[in-house]
Amino acid sequence: MFAAVLAVSCQESMKQLTDRVFEVAEYQFTEMDKTLTDTNVPKSTRFGVLVPSETKSWTSGFYPGSLWYVYMYTGNENTKVLAEKNTEKLYIETQRVRSHDIGFMVNCSYGNALRITGDEKYREPYINAAKLLTTRFNPTVGLTQSWNITPSRKQWKFPVIIDNMMNLELLTQAHKMSGIDSLLTVAVTHANTTMKNHFRPDYTTWHVVDYDPETGDIRMKVTHQGYSDDSAWSRGQAWAVYGYTMMFREVGDEAYLALAENIARMLLDRLPEDGIPYWDFDSPDIPDAQRDASAGAIMASSFIELAGYTQDKALSKVLMEMAETQIRTLASPEYLAEKGRNGFFLLKHSVGSYPSDTEVNVPLTYADYYFLEALLRYNGKL
Ligand code: GLY
């Protein structure tokens, strides 16, 4: 009893934890910038050394976005300069559309720049990117196409992945700024069609649903990054709960809130005690399977937001408890990098694509971004 009381009273407060993590983040990301050129951004590491990517990578918006989040918390003008510089590297990505990922790229970079500074110079490129995303919309299918058909993806005709829910925020936000109704129509239609076709009765989601672009018929429901077509790939589940929570915030449709609540209940039932999911909830290697810190960070951020919307008080309480558990685990030495280590990323132990043995047990720029977002949300700053 005495030991338990002592443990609680000695526990680092969430404010202390947040200060500590942002201090590490500011150091890491400032050092990271020194390794970059005028045209690249960080993506991951190989053998512990930072691997950058061109801005065309789907992950290119997360580093500028993380810098904006650090600036938001610390108010450090040097970080703002880095955030501006790394955001502007992505200007070219606001002028062309290569996949649905334009939403991730531009909303995290230009979107945060605009929301945090209010500087008008970010507005036109942001709205332009949203208009470009709608060119991927097929009204017969009622969705924007995720990936293009390339030689390695020729088995599909019109693939849509659950991750694509995340790109809708670019459309809803640009609609609010511009008043262009088609941006909202595309976002809502995409969310409604995904709600109808992507979910199983237990509220897990398929990764890929492929459609016939001529008829809108479903051709197949499969996985690309998960363990099997029938399994629950963890990051896909994270994108789903985040996506519908975000769409409820953006348009207020109660059906989106109900779906987000049901996905969250399923996740709360299945997450390990420390809150960080195995890379796939159905991996046969559990409990020895690889964890995915990125999925844990995305879930923590969306759980905090969802806790503020749900009318189910018991659910709200357990969502906040789970988010705190996830944050505490990610801020522990097991996951949080020491200053100067980990290729200057913040978090260790994420998984890009386990089936293709790409980026397994490495830092990933989006894990850092959503972890910082979770901390900002937990502290009422977002
Ligand atoms: N959107 C790609 C991923 O989550 O890996």
Side-chain angles (χ1 to χ4, degrees):
M1 174 66 180
F2 177 70
V5 171
L6 193 66
V8 170
S9 65
C10 291
Q11 192 179 43
E12 184 183 38
S13 74
M14 287 298 277
K15 174 73 172 76
Q16 289 166 329
L17 179 154
T18 306
D19 287 346
R20 174 170 64 82
V21 171
F22 272 92
E23 205 230 314
V24 178
E26 186 171 77
Y27 178 87
Q28 295 290 82
F29 298 159
T30 304
E31 291 304 306
M32 199 173 235
D33 180 74
K34 294 176 189 164
T35 72
L36 302 173
T37 68
D38 289 346
T39 55
N40 70 18
V41 284
K43 187 166 196 269
S44 182
T45 62
R46 207 168 151 72
F47 307 120
V49 177
L50 186 142
V51 176
S53 73
E54 295 175 48
T55 59
K56 68 183 180 189
S57 165
W58 79 273
T59 59
S60 62
F62 296 116
Y63 177 58
S66 296
L67 287 165
W68 284 117
Y69 281 162
V70 173
Y71 169 64
M72 202 178 167
Y73 193 72
T74 64
N76 184 333
E77 288 297 318
N78 295 332
T79 308
K80 185 181 184 194
V81 171
L82 298 186
E84 282 169 337
K85 182 177 86 173
N86 283 282
T87 295
E88 281 161 21
K89 285 181 190 172
L90 268 69
Y91 178 74
I92 187 171
E93 306 306 336
T94 70
Q95 304 298 307
R96 63 182 181 191
V97 61
R98 301 162 57 88
S99 76
H100 68 150
D101 290 322
I102 190 169
F104 276 110
M105 294 148 79
V106 176
N107 191 45
C108 297
S109 56
Y110 276 77
N112 281 315
L114 199 47
R115 287 185 283 272
I116 292 168
T117 68
D119 192 328
E120 285 298 312
K121 73 180 173 195
Y122 298 116
R123 187 181 298 271
E124 188 283 325
Y126 186 84
I127 294 170
N128 192 61
K131 288 187 202 159
L132 288 172
L133 176 54
T134 64
T135 63
R136 298 183 69 82
F137 183 71
N138 175 327
T140 304
V141 185
L143 291 157
T144 61
Q145 184 173 343
S146 292
W147 297 321
N148 298 337
I149 307 308
T150 58
S152 66
R153 290 177 173 154
K154 61 180 185 313
Q155 69 273 38
W156 298 317
K157 288 192 172 175
F158 192 99
V160 178
I161 61 176
I162 188 63
D163 323 27
N164 201 342
M165 283 300 301
M166 301 295 287
N167 297 307
L168 306 184
E169 191 172 355
L170 173 68
L171 300 177
T172 55
Q173 289 277 311
H175 166 255
K176 284 173 191 161
M177 289 173 202
S178 67
I180 301 170
D181 285 336
S182 58
L183 301 177
L184 181 62
T185 306
V186 168
V188 167
T189 309
H190 185 103
N192 292 345
T193 309
T194 301
M195 184 157 58
K196 190 161 110 225
N197 296 334
H198 243 90
F199 290 89
R200 305 181 180 111
D202 66 357
Y203 299 106
T204 61
T205 168
W206 277 277
H207 183 200
V208 188
V209 179
D210 188 43
Y211 294 85
D212 183 327
E214 310 297 330
T215 63
D217 293 342
I218 293 170
R219 296 183 65 242
M220 56 180 114
K221 297 186 178 191
V222 291
T223 198
H224 186 57
Q225 282 158 260
Y227 167 66
S228 74
D229 292 344
D230 299 325
S231 73
W233 172 52
S234 295
R235 201 163 49 254
Q237 314 313 303
W239 295 141
V241 68
Y242 191 119
Y244 281 95
T245 303
M246 175 274 292
M247 279 301 284
F248 174 71
R249 177 222 310 147
E250 291 294 301
V251 304
D253 186 332
E254 294 285 337
Y256 300 156
L257 177 61
L259 179 53
E261 288 168 338
N262 282 323
I263 301 165
R265 288 187 187 101
M266 175 277 294
L267 291 172
L268 290 165
D269 275 351
R270 298 189 67 179
L271 278 166
E273 209 174 314
D274 67 6
I276 309 306
Y278 299 98
W279 72 277
D280 191 300
F281 281 98
D282 299 302
S283 165
D285 300 327
I286 292 172
D288 299 320
Q290 180 66 51
R291 304 295 188 106
D292 180 10
S294 77
I298 298 159
M299 285 177 199
S301 180
S302 67
F303 285 172
I304 297 163
E305 183 169 28
L306 181 57
Y309 301 149
T310 182
Q311 297 303 307
D312 178 341
K313 288 201 168 55
L315 177 64
S316 178
K317 185 167 176 289
V318 284
L319 283 170
M320 287 306 289
E321 286 166 359
M322 178 51 81
E324 180 171 337
T325 298
Q326 291 170 317
I327 288 171
R328 286 194 182 277
T329 305
L330 293 174
S332 74
E334 174 62 18
Y335 283 93
L336 191 76
E338 286 172 47
K339 279 185 181 173
R341 308 289 291 271
N342 204 36
F344 302 118
F345 289 87
L346 196 54
L347 291 178
K348 303 176 263 185
H349 308 314
S350 288
V351 176
S353 177
Y354 198 90
S356 61
D357 197 17
T358 310
E359 298 174 336
V360 175
N361 194 15
V362 290
L364 288 168
T365 186
Y366 42 101
D368 292 2
Y369 174 86
Y370 289 103
F371 182 41
L372 296 178
E373 186 179 87
L375 286 165
L376 291 173
R377 285 196 167 140
Y378 193 93
N379 288 278
K381 308 266 182 205
L382 265 182

